[in-house]
Amino acid sequence: MNSFIYDIPTRVYFGENQLGHLGKELAGYGRRVLLVYGGGSIKKTGLYNKVVTEIKKAGLELFECSGIEPNPRVTSVNRGADICKKEKIDVLLAVGGGSTIDATKFIGAAAFYEGDAWDIMTEKAPIVNFLPIVTVLTLSATGSEMDAGGVISNIETKDKIGLMHPVLLPKVSFLDPTNTYTVNEYQTACGAADMLNHILEVYFNMNQDLYMLDCVMEGLMKTIIKYAPVAMSDPENYEARANLMWASSWAINGFVDGGKQQAWSCHPMEHEISAYYDITHGLGLAILTPRWLTYTLDETTVSKFYQFGVNVFDIDKNLEPMTVAKKSVEMISEFLFHTLKLQSTLTEIGIDDSNFSIMAKKACEGNVLPGFKPLNQQDIENIFRMCL
Amino acid sequence: MNSFIYDIPTRVYFGENQLGHLGKELAGYGRRVLLVYGGGSIKKTGLYNKVVTEIKKAGLELFECSGIEPNPRVTSVNRGADICKKEKIDVLLAVGGGSTIDATKFIGAAAFYEGDAWDIMTEKAPIVNFLPIVTVLTLSATGSEMDAGGVISNIETKDKIGLMHPVLLPKVSFLDPTNTYTVNEYQTACGAADMLNHILEVYFNMNQDLYMLDCVMEGLMKTIIKYAPVAMSDPENYEARANLMWASSWAINGFVDGGKQQAWSCHPMEHEISAYYDITHGLGLAILTPRWLTYTLDETTVSKFYQFGVNVFDIDKNLEPMTVAKKSVEMISEFLFHTLKLQSTLTEIGIDDSNFSIMAKKACEGNVLPGFKPLNQQDIENIFRMCL
């Protein structure tokens, strides 16, 4: 069992009608606020007006950086950083989902760097200073609202890089489940697949660790499995949206890791898929997850699959461990591809094997992808092929 | 479902060999450190020397306040506050269990008050300022290492008052499971009963709330039930001590509450027992818990007991709900009085009914104790009698 440092000081305002605290929280960091958002859906829903009203009410100066893409691009990070420098921004306010929040995090770091923000992503340039970040979440998925990481894409080089740094942790996040009522069925499903995978990446681990956290992870997975279909069919179901929203934060804020420090497997593989084909991250993860599980199941790992099947899918604990294990993979496939109605193959979304070799090489950086089971380039290519 | 603010910024160093961070953490708050501890067991175990070495290594000035009692007394709080004023203390370091940490919290508040610290407990005097608190935990039980509350006793008036305030949250806590290896079988059992009750006080709730948190609470309870007997029979079992330690913090740090804001039931009743008879808090809770559950079980609450029995004690879900409910109370009694070997009645520990009437009146403040099921003075007296 490893030691660890638990340090998640993000303050969260959870629930409806908490936005009255926004002005005070922002003002705690300064007067000049840069509002960062995506394609404008927050204007349609009315959230933009609510946020701007609170900023004005607090007497703060508002600047804007809109147009953050899904799979946010380094060009947007550079654009936001330029505004910060020019306008002497004090605090960043991200209103959106994981893409907007991720971009905002690196805008905050790039605001203190004179070169291309990509240098920060490639760790050519260290993060030396940062702007504080406040978020208003509109999509339950990536957990960026309460974690210290983010992922940025470079379209030119077809690279997608994730980076963690303690200063990237938002200071304050507003989690109002009603702000996710307008998330459509498909994006709700992709978000659920994303958070489920965040937990699986940590849960599937053969190290001796804190059983308590296994129980917590099983509870989070049961929550996602219970409420994702409810939110899909009844988008304004507060109970479902609330459970999914809080589960999204706790799936990845570091609590469940408890010192395991295991490298992740599906995420590096998926980042190559969405770097090459710009697909929704959660969909890529959904397609990969059951193949990765199938590929890693053997006599040495079966006990973890058994635990998963019994505790999450309520499979009869008296069955043979390997039977339970295989059934658990079937049940997660059933959940992802039937309950969540997600496409089940790369072929279905127009991706063939033409880039698998280079994608596999990049995923393992030409070496071995550590994790639940170490995967070399050939293993990763095999898993990609299982997704066709 | 209620809204809530999640705000638990305590940094936790979890695991062995983390004490090297102590000096740096203390130094972040100032040079003059008051070390607060209990009856000297930390000198026997060697922890005192380790802590003092780190303080000296960091070049800090060390002051001491020892002799904090179990069920810590306001006289100790006043004594500690006097040292803070006289020596111009910058930061408090509590090394011990919940009693030591609770006393330290109120020493930090009373250091800025000129009168009797009891005025703070009775809320006659508001908390206006405070000293930052760092803790090194030696007993898994109260969760004081990561929560914003504490309980102080007044022997003269036979009062025991709990108080919550955000400034009481420790800044940093060191949770090294090996520091609990010397906790004996009985105190390990009392600690387990305490944390189990912290969860039950929140879990038994008929409001619609975050299912996700119910799953987390069930996981924490299963963890305590699994590992308390292991730690009792094998006191140096790291896995057991680690799971109990981290569970103790999360049982009561506020996370599992998720806006329920339900008043607690057993704790106010137990505080009267230990105020009158100075017994170990966890033991009082153990004796009360099954009686309180029995008293509150009826057709309107049976569904929660059913959920508890099926998910925590793995009782056959196909049985009648009331059958499962009654069996779940039997199983928790079995756990507390056979597995944990705790005394099962007040009679056994020499307490008779002579003060029940006044204790019941004080527990409900002459009115009604709200909570899972509101209890008036007569109800509370009935529950006390069930404990004979």
Side-chain angles (χ1 to χ4, degrees), chain A residues 177 226-228 230-232 234 237-245, chain B residues 1:
Chain A
K226 178 182 165 95
Y227 286 110
V230 178
M232 286 168 70
D234 180 12
N237 185 306
Y238 187 85
E239 183 182 337
R241 293 295 193 181
N243 274 282
L244 290 172
M245 192 168 232
Chain B
M1 201 182 295

Side-chain angles (χ1 to χ4, degrees), chain B residues 23-38:
Chain B
K24 171 192 68 183
E25 289 290 354
L26 289 168
Y29 297 103
R31 313 302 303 170
R32 299 169 75 85
V33 180
L34 180 63
L35 169 62
V36 184
Y37 59 100

Side-chain angles (χ1 to χ4, degrees), chain A residues 315-334:
Chain A
I315 299 172
D316 183 355
K317 62 185 170 193
N318 299 311
L319 294 174
E320 282 296 309
M322 190 53 85
T323 308
V324 173
K326 287 182 177 165
K327 204 169 157 56
S328 75
V329 180
E330 280 167 33
M331 290 191 77
I332 201 158
S333 297
E334 170 74 23

Side-chain angles (χ1 to χ4, degrees), chain A residues 48 120 128 168 181 266 289:
Chain A
Y48 174 88
I120 291 173
V128 289
L168 301 177
Y181 281 175
C266 288
T289 296

Side-chain angles (χ1 to χ4, degrees), chain B residues 348-373:
Chain B
E348 267 180 84
I349 54 172
I351 296 174
D352 64 20
D353 65 357
S354 52
N355 290 309
F356 282 179
S357 179
I358 177 70
M359 283 159 56
K361 190 174 177 184
K362 284 174 91 170
C364 66
E365 292 171 0
N367 196 348
V368 168
L369 191 61
F372 178 47
K373 237 175 129 170

Side-chain angles (χ1 to χ4, degrees), chain A residues 82-122:
Chain A
D82 287 343
I83 301 172
C84 292
K85 291 171 198 163
K86 185 173 161 230
E87 305 295 353
K88 298 188 168 45
I89 295 298
D90 296 313
V91 53
L92 301 174
L93 173 61
V95 180
S99 297
T100 295
I101 300 173
D102 280 6
T104 305
K105 287 176 173 177
F106 293 105
I107 289 172
F112 296 92
Y113 180 62
E114 287 310 318
D116 183 347
W118 194 246
D119 296 343
I120 291 173
M121 301 311 299
T122 57

